[in-house]
Amino acid sequence: MDNINKNVENMKNQEENEVAIVMVPFPAQSHLNQLLQLACIFSSSYDLPVYYVGSATHNHQARVRANALNPSDIAKIHFHDIPTPDFASPAPDPNALSKFPSQLLPSYNACTLLRDPIALLLRDISSKSRRVVVVHDVLMSYNVQDVCSLHNAESYIFNCVSVFFMYCSFICLPNGMPIPLDEHLLKKLPKLEADAPEEINKLVDFQLQYKDIRAGDLYNSNKVLEGTFLDLMGKFASTQNKKQWAIGPIMPTKLDHVSDKRNKCLDWLDNQPPRSVLYVSFGSSTTFSDKEVMELAMGLERSKQKFVWVLRDADRGDIFSGEARRFELPDGFEERVRGVGLVVREWAPQLEILAHSSTGGFMSHCGWNSCIESINMGVPVAAWAMHSEQPLNAFFLTEILKIGLLVRDWKKREELVTASAIENVVRKLMASEEGDEIRKRAEELGAAVRESTEKGGASQLELDSFIAHITR
């Protein structure tokens, strides 16, 4: 009898581990977030075992900042903490000429030392599973290369950036191909030039050497949003014998999870008229100088529009170390704007703010994570790109999708954005006929994108297709 029970137990274990998914994110907030959201979809919607792999610090960061995810979904994920060598965690430099978060370079470099422990984990999971599927950030390609040595493993890159950016930067530019846009748009297109320090360019080039081992690509986008560029990407991928799936937007399907400690900005939003509030946040990698903070404060105040402003410094490599800088605001600012504006100095639940009926605009740095959340919630954008792929995202939102306004031209990125420029764009977006038309377009696009993620929608079909492929 005992032997029969053991056999049944063994069969159960084999069934449970038929296909195991290993997620390997890059240690930057928006990347950690997107891969955690996707991990929850794989685990909760498809009942597959999922391992989320990174340093203990970054795994903890992903968990504490989980945006609108249900704790019971996160609890299903197997977080695998890898000991990472100590790395420096300097504070961001608010006066640097470039907005690129150079303070994160030591943590980025430390993650190149994770190859051996990841290989060890993959071998272990491989011995217990019919197939191991590694879903990794393109910037972790070097670390997962040992997937090739396992008879039952395959890897897929999850791209945390827009397809438009990828096609322009990784297909057109290196191959001397024209970008397929009308002449008037090409004139407005921000110049595709690296604004990152040489050290990060070297790190990217180093990782990209190993990306061809992948079996295919996943995109946090879909055909409704980027159909043209997905088709072009698909043609290119087929010449390399790679598959692709556009499975975005990756985010919780239901926003009915209310945390035990409801955030004060959600309570504040409950008391505002529909679509009346501008949400102001520049992500986790942007730091502002004292001068820039003062101009932004004055611009918001003078616009006389309602706002929620998340005023935080950029992340360090280890977000749990060091004192955060406290920004100074103009004398009496918070008293004067009481009832009109709210300044939030801690981590804010962005997705829930964007989903709130009182939110009518988003002043954003245009990281793809923020773009996709804003699009999904039908909220138009005041686009203020800071670094990396953000200028192209801002162009895509304002010129192609036409669901936003530029705060400043990328060519003028080294100039101070004045209070009057900020006031003008806020008024135009929040209190003008042009702003109303942009908002209407954003709401219509948001509805179409959300529909694509429902049963039978383009995005949901692609996700089902990917799951069918990896569990074949």
Side-chain angles (χ1 to χ4, degrees), residues 296-305 307 330 332-333 336-337:
L296 180 49
M298 289 188 293
L300 288 172
E301 184 179 355
R302 288 177 196 165
S303 76
K304 305 259 191 295
Q305 301 305 305
F307 65 86
F333 173 79
R336 289 195 303 277
V337 300

Side-chain angles (χ1 to χ4, degrees), residues 380-383 397-399 401-406 429 434 438 441:
V381 176
L397 260 57
T398 57
E399 296 293 339
L401 298 179
K402 297 190 181 301
I403 56 163
L405 297 166
L406 278 185
L429 187 66
E434 185 184 347
I438 291 170
R441 272 198 298 276

Side-chain angles (χ1 to χ4, degrees), residues 440-452:
K440 187 167 177 277
R441 272 198 298 276
E443 286 172 2
E444 285 167 359
L445 179 62
V449 167
R450 288 193 301 277
E451 198 178 308
S452 75

Side-chain angles (χ1 to χ4, degrees), residues 182-251:
D182 292 342
E183 198 56 47
H184 76 283
L185 285 175
L186 284 173
K187 282 179 185 158
K188 294 180 179 180
L189 188 75
K191 212 163 177 217
L192 297 174
E193 56 193 0
D195 68 325
E198 193 48 42
E199 208 181 334
I200 190 78
N201 295 332
K202 279 184 189 158
L203 178 73
V204 171
D205 290 343
F206 171 66
Q207 293 284 353
L208 292 182
Q209 293 173 71
Y210 300 90
K211 76 176 176 40
D212 287 343
I213 63 166
R214 76 198 189 283
D217 285 280
L218 297 169
Y219 293 104
N220 191 2
S221 188
N222 66 32
K223 286 172 180 165
V224 173
L225 266 185
E226 299 193 89
T228 305
F229 296 99
L230 276 164
D231 289 345
L232 291 165
M233 230 20 180
K235 279 181 193 159
F236 189 80
S238 63
T239 64
Q240 299 185 306
N241 213 17
K242 307 288 184 200
K243 295 179 181 296
Q244 70 173 36
W245 294 267
I247 59 172
I250 302 299
M251 58 186 67

Side-chain angles (χ1 to χ4, degrees), residues 167-168 170-180 186 192 232 236:
Y167 189 72
C168 293
F170 294 111
I171 310 295
C172 296
L173 204 60
N175 297 300
M177 289 161 56
I179 292 168
L186 284 173
L192 297 174
L232 291 165
F236 189 80

Side-chain angles (χ1 to χ4, degrees), residues 22-26 35 134-142 144 155-159 210-211 213-214:
V22 180
M23 314 287 290
V24 187
F26 183 66
L35 268 88
V134 180
V135 176
H136 66 97
D137 199 290
V138 68
L139 296 177
M140 296 298 272
S141 298
Y142 164 80
V144 302
S155 67
Y156 298 86
I157 287 174
F158 178 71
N159 295 284
Y210 300 90
K211 76 176 176 40
I213 63 166
R214 76 198 189 283

